[in-house]
C-alpha cells in the first residue's frame, strides 16, 4: 500500500510487490479496513479463479472472519485426477495405497521377507520380518491368521531404525511375536493403513480368510515350513537358491522363492538376496502433489 516495494532480503527477496492502490490514513475511522471486493458488482472467485474480478476498495466497514461485502467465493473441492502413485488412493491395480501394481513408477509395497514360528517344545524368538523401500510403515499391521481363517493376533508396524547394508533406501522391520501358531496351516497378512491386504502368506497349506482384513482372500502357501526339528537360530527366508535373487524397487529381475529353515538373519537382507531401492522422485505436476509448480 502507498507504493511498490522491491524485496531485498527475506522470502520476498528479488520480488516486486503489487501496489493495491488504496490506503488508510489518519482519517480512517475505527472499525474500517481495506477490502478486496468488486464495487458495483459482486466479484466472483470460484476455486481460486476470478469469474468477475475483485479489486481493492478504500476503507469501509471491516468484516474480519467473514467474506467481504460484494464478494462471492466458492470452493469446488478437488475430487480426483488421473490416477497416480501419490494420490492417497488404491487405484490403477495397485497392491496397496500408492504402491505396487503395473505402474513401474510406483514404489514397491512392503513384503514379508523372513519368518520363524516353530522350534519344537519351546519356540525361541518367533518373528516376522518385513522389508520396504520406505522407513515409516506407521499404519501398516501384521495380522496373524489361524487355519480356520480368523485372526488371532496383530502387531502394528512403525518407523524402522535399520537400513540394510544393501544401500540407501532399503529398510527392514522386525517384529517379534510370542505365540505364533505352529499347528496345521496358519498364516500372516500384511495390511496397509487403509485396511488393504498387501500380502497374505501361509505355511503348511492354504487359508481362506473368513473374518478380519483378509476376509474373502485366499492365502499364498509359501510351500516350506518349520517343525519340531527346526534348530534354534533358524528361520524360513525369501531367497533364490543357487542364484542371487534380485529385486529392484519391488520388481523381480531374478525371482525370489521361500527356502526351508536356514540360519536366521532378522534385520539383515537374507543370503542369496540383492535388493536395490530406486526412490520415487515424483510424477507429472498436478494440483495435489504438495508442491508449488506449473506456475
Amino acid at each position: 500500500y502507498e507504493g511498490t516495494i522491491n524485496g531485498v532480503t527475506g522470502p520476498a527477496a528479488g520480488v516486486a510487490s503489487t501496489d493495491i492502490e488504496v490506503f488508510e490514513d489518519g482519517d480512517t475511522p475505527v472499525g474500517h479496513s481495506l477490502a478486496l471486493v468488486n464495487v458495483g458488482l459482486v466479484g466472483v472467485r470460484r476455486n481460486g479463479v476470478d469469474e468477475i474480478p475483485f479489486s481493492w476498495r478504500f476503507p469501509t466497514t471491516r468484516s474480519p472472519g467473514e467474506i467481504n461485502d460484494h464478494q462471492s467465493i466458492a470452493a469446488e473441492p478437488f475430487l480426483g485426477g488421473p490416477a497416480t502413485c501419490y494420490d492417497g488412493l488404491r487405484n490403477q491395480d495397485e497392491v496397496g495405497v500408492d504402491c505396487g501394481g503395473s505402474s513401474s513408477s510406483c514404489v514397491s509395497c512392503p513384503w514379508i521377507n523372513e519368518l520363524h514360528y516353530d522350534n519344537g517344545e519351546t519356540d525361541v524368538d518367533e518373528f516376522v520380518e518385513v522389508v520396504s523401500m520406505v522407513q515409516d510403515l506407521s499404519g501398516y499391521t501384521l495380522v496373524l491368521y489361524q487355519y480356520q481363517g480368523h485372526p488371532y493376533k496383530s502387531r502394528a508396524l512403525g518407523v524402522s531404525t535399520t537400513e540394510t547394508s544393501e544401500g540407501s533406501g532399503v529398510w527392514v522391520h522386525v517384529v517379534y511375536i510370542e505365540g505364533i501358531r505352529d499347528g496345521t496351516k496358519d498364516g500372516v497378512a500384511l495390511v496397509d493403513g487403509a485396511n488393504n491386504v498387501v500380502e497374505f502368506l501361509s505355511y503348511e497349506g492354504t487359508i481362506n480368510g473368513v473374518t478380519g482384513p483378509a476376509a474373502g482372500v485366499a492365502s499364498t502357501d509359501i510351500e516350506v515350513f518349520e517343525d519340531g526339528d527346526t534348530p534354534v537360530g533358524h528361520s524360513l527366508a525369501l531367497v533364490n537358491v543357487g542364484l542371487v535373487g534380485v529385486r529392484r524397487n519391488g520388481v523381480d529381475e531374478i525371482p525370489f522363492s521361500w527356502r526351508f529353515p536356514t540360519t536366521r538373519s532378522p534385520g539383515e537382507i537374507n543370503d542369496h538376496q540383492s535388493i536395490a531401492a530406486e526412490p520415487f522422485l515424483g510424477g507429472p505436476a498436478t494440483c495435489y502433489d504438495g508442491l508449488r509448480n506449473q506456475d
Side-chain angles (χ1 to χ4, degrees):
Y1 43 91
E2 302 185 43
T4 300
I5 301 170
N6 292 305
V8 176
T9 59
V15 180
S17 71
T18 299
D19 184 2
I20 61 175
E21 299 182 352
V22 295
F23 55 87
E24 295 180 320
D25 59 21
D27 296 325
T28 302
V30 173
H32 281 52
S33 66
L34 306 176
L36 196 62
V37 300
N38 187 300
V39 181
L41 293 170
V42 175
V44 178
R45 181 168 292 178
R46 191 175 304 278
N47 209 28
V49 178
D50 284 345
E51 296 183 357
I52 301 175
F54 293 149
S55 59
W56 284 89
R57 182 169 65 177
F58 276 95
T60 186
T61 303
R62 54 185 272 161
S63 60
E66 294 289 337
I67 297 299
N68 302 329
D69 288 341
H70 298 280
Q71 272 193 330
S72 174
I73 302 175
E76 296 176 347
F78 178 70
L79 298 178
T84 71
C85 304
Y86 50 98
D87 56 14
L89 302 173
R90 183 187 182 189
N91 48 27
Q92 56 176 349
D93 77 11
E94 292 167 349
V95 178
V97 173
D98 291 341
C99 67
S102 59
S103 175
S104 60
S105 63
C106 290
V107 298
S108 68
C109 289
W111 69 87
I112 298 169
N113 200 57
E114 191 174 354
L115 170 67
H116 169 57
Y117 64 91
D118 192 4
N119 288 122
E121 290 186 9
T122 303
D123 301 329
V124 178
D125 291 338
E126 303 137 283
F127 72 92
V128 180
E129 177 188 85
V130 175
V131 172
S132 68
M133 301 296 108
V134 293
Q135 183 179 10
D136 189 357
L137 290 184
S138 298
Y140 280 77
T141 307
L142 290 169
V143 181
L144 302 185
Y145 270 79
Q146 44 90 297
Y147 72 101
Q148 293 176 314
H150 302 288
Y152 67 95
K153 285 179 185 284
S154 67
R155 294 291 186 274
L157 294 169
V159 179
S160 173
T161 58
T162 306
E163 190 171 20
T164 73
S165 57
E166 284 284 305
S168 176
V170 180
W171 296 90
V172 181
H173 308 250
V174 181
V175 182
Y176 289 92
I177 308 173
E178 185 177 355
I180 299 179
R181 289 174 60 98
D182 54 15
T184 302
K185 63 176 184 182
D186 298 298
V188 55
L190 177 60
V191 181
D192 71 13
N195 217 36
N196 301 310
V197 175
V198 174
E199 193 170 38
F200 184 21
L201 302 181
S202 59
Y203 41 90
E204 305 185 41
T206 300
I207 300 170
N208 292 306
V210 177
T211 59
V217 179
S219 70
T220 298
D221 184 359
I222 61 176
E223 299 182 352
V224 295
F225 56 87
E226 296 180 323
D227 58 22
D229 295 324
T230 303
V232 173
H234 282 53
S235 67
L236 305 176
L238 197 60
V239 301
N240 187 298
V241 180
L243 293 171
V244 175
V246 178
R247 181 167 290 181
R248 192 175 303 279
N249 207 29
V251 178
D252 285 345
E253 296 183 357
I254 301 176
F256 293 149
S257 58
W258 283 89
R259 181 169 65 178
F260 275 94
T262 187
T263 303
R264 56 186 264 159
S265 60
E268 290 291 336
I269 295 301
N270 303 329
D271 288 340
H272 297 279
Q273 272 193 328
S274 176
I275 301 173
E278 296 176 349
F280 177 67
L281 298 178
T286 72
C287 303
Y288 53 100
D289 56 14
L291 302 173
R292 183 185 180 189
N293 49 28
Q294 58 176 346
D295 75 15

